[in-house]
Amino acid sequence: MNAFKLCGRVRHEFVSSSVAHAARGTRWGWNVPRSCRTALILLAAALPLTACGRFTVMPPPEGEPVVLKPAALATTWTDADGGTLTLKRDGTFVADKVCVAVDWYDGLTWSGTGTWKQGTNTKQTFVGVSFDADQPVGFDLDHPESVEREPAPYDALRHGEVLKLWVAIGDPDNDYPNCVLTSPAS
């Protein structure tokens, strides 16, 4: 039986039994079945927890972890807003308004140049970028000494014929989207 129907039936029985108790001059009874009480208690306990944050972090984008060779990484990667990250074979890169993940900040886009390195475990490739000393442009220009020049590394995925580099951005308790860069598989 549907929980709403059950609790609705219980409410009806509770009201009519309360009226009967009142007519007989007896005390008001707590006439709710244990399963409904348990559901109500769990609901009451869950509401404050959801106000404190999410139970899980944003899931990764669609795709399977993949190990990529440097030649497959050395291409132009594009994010959803048209930002690009061009990884060159010589280990340098050029970024143009590309999404990055730094600490708890969200929605950061950086432009600049620097170097990149590949890391790989048995299942997946990771790409770390490090912006040059006078880079990146577009973040905390009032306090350039506080700029973290190495954002979080990107993880590699394959989804069909599309390769992806992605990183979670922003506070994991919020619904910020992941930063996802794509390139056609070669």
Side-chain angles (χ1 to χ4, degrees):
M1 175 180 272
N2 183 331
F4 292 108
K5 288 181 183 177
L6 174 66
C7 289
R9 193 179 90 214
V10 167
R11 188 176 130 301
H12 174 72
E13 290 173 5
F14 178 72
V15 170
S16 48
S17 69
S18 299
V19 171
H21 283 289
R24 288 190 309 243
T26 58
R27 291 187 59 141
W28 233 50
W30 180 250
N31 195 5
V32 179
R34 182 178 299 218
S35 61
C36 197
R37 278 186 286 182
T38 304
L40 293 172
I41 289 169
L42 289 175
L43 179 63
L47 290 175
L49 291 175
T50 58
C52 294
R54 298 170 55 97
F55 289 118
T56 61
V57 296
M58 288 292 291
E62 289 186 273
E64 296 297 321
V66 64
V67 174
L68 298 174
K69 296 183 187 275
L73 291 169
T75 188
T76 298
W77 299 84
T78 307
D79 67 24
D81 294 323
T84 59
L85 176 66
T86 302
L87 303 177
K88 298 179 183 179
R89 290 181 187 262
D90 65 359
T92 62
F93 72 85
V94 175
D96 182 33
K97 299 178 184 166
V98 70
C99 59
V100 294
V102 179
D103 294 329
W104 294 97
Y105 297 103
D106 64 298
L108 296 179
T109 59
W110 286 2
S111 297
T113 60
T115 57
W116 67 276
K117 290 186 180 181
Q118 171 186 359
T120 303
N121 63 23
T122 58
K123 296 181 182 180
Q124 190 169 34
T125 295
F126 309 95
V127 177
V129 296
S130 179
F131 282 80
D132 291 335
D134 60 343
Q135 306 291 332
V137 175
F139 179 68
D140 204 1
L141 296 176
D142 295 332
H143 301 94
E145 70 282 355
S146 69
V147 174
E148 177 73 35
R149 300 197 191 300
E150 293 186 21
Y154 299 95
D155 299 352
L157 298 175
R158 178 185 298 274
H159 186 247
E161 295 299 314
V162 177
L163 295 176
K164 297 178 182 181
L165 295 178
W166 79 279
V167 64
I169 59 173
D171 183 345
D173 286 338
N174 295 325
D175 285 330
Y176 294 117
N178 293 318
C179 169
V180 181
L181 309 175
T182 59
S183 176
S186 37

